[in-house]
Amino acid sequence: MAQLNEHPTHPDAIDRSSRWLSKAGLRPTRQRVSLAALLIGDGKDRHVTAETLYAASCATGERVSLATVYNTLRAFCDAGLMQEVMVDGTKSYFDTRVDDHPHFFWEDEGRLSDAPHGSIEITRLPEAPAGSEISKVDVVIRLRRI
């Protein structure tokens, strides 16, 4: 997974970010475009936490609060631009790749990365309780270095 975009003010990054927001019907505010440029400005997929995105934004000189970063990430998820991946029910990672795919969680590093898609096979799931349906299955494979 790529590091956050190092050149978020490059005109191509700004243009790509504005188009990304517009396709989801989100108004391209200055802060949204700035955060989107860090996330997808170079066209690569990323896994971030609100804290890592906030730190990267601050490093560019952008004045944005951590609350705004959280709210923006939620808006991106609600619009279908990103997906949230929960680890341990306490830590949220936000993924710019929105298709169904498994993840590796590197416990020693606290890092999330994509796992090879074709190497997992789920052959049976339990019945959903009455009045409900399964909407998604998240697969997070925990790893630690030996």
Side-chain angles (χ1 to χ4, degrees):
M1 186 58 54
Q3 296 295 319
L4 285 171
N5 188 14
E6 295 177 14
H7 304 288
T9 58
H10 189 279
D12 289 342
I14 300 299
D15 182 55
R16 181 177 287 117
S17 301
S18 295
R19 283 186 279 119
W20 188 64
L21 295 169
S22 293
K23 81 175 182 181
L26 290 176
R27 193 166 55 92
T29 64
R30 180 184 55 80
Q31 289 179 324
R32 282 180 179 165
V33 170
S34 173
L35 293 172
L38 287 165
L39 292 167
I40 58 98
D42 61 2
K44 296 179 182 175
D45 288 315
R46 293 184 165 74
H47 298 104
V48 300
T49 63
E51 293 79 10
T52 59
L53 183 57
Y54 172 73
S57 181
C58 289
T60 68
E62 180 70 31
R63 296 182 58 103
V64 62
S65 70
L66 183 57
T68 296
V69 171
Y70 271 106
N71 291 336
T72 300
L73 287 169
R74 290 269 171 247
F76 290 175
C77 288
D78 290 346
L81 295 172
M82 300 184 79
Q83 65 176 326
E84 183 176 9
V85 180
M86 293 289 291
V87 177
D88 288 337
T90 60
K91 187 78 168 175
S92 287
Y93 289 81
F94 297 88
D95 188 354
T96 58
R97 183 176 159 194
V98 294
D99 65 312
D100 289 334
H101 62 281
H103 290 95
F104 287 135
F105 178 68
W106 301 84
E107 291 180 329
D108 301 339
E109 301 172 35
R111 180 175 59 89
L112 196 69
S113 65
D114 291 335
H117 188 273
S119 39
I120 242 182
E121 183 177 322
I122 299 174
T123 59
R124 189 174 359 169
L125 293 172
E127 290 287 324
S132 67
E133 67 180 6
I134 296 172
S135 65
K136 184 176 180 180
V137 175
D138 291 323
V139 177
V140 177
I141 302 159
R142 302 175 71 83
L143 303 172
R144 84 177 70 112
R145 303 238 184 242
I146 55 172

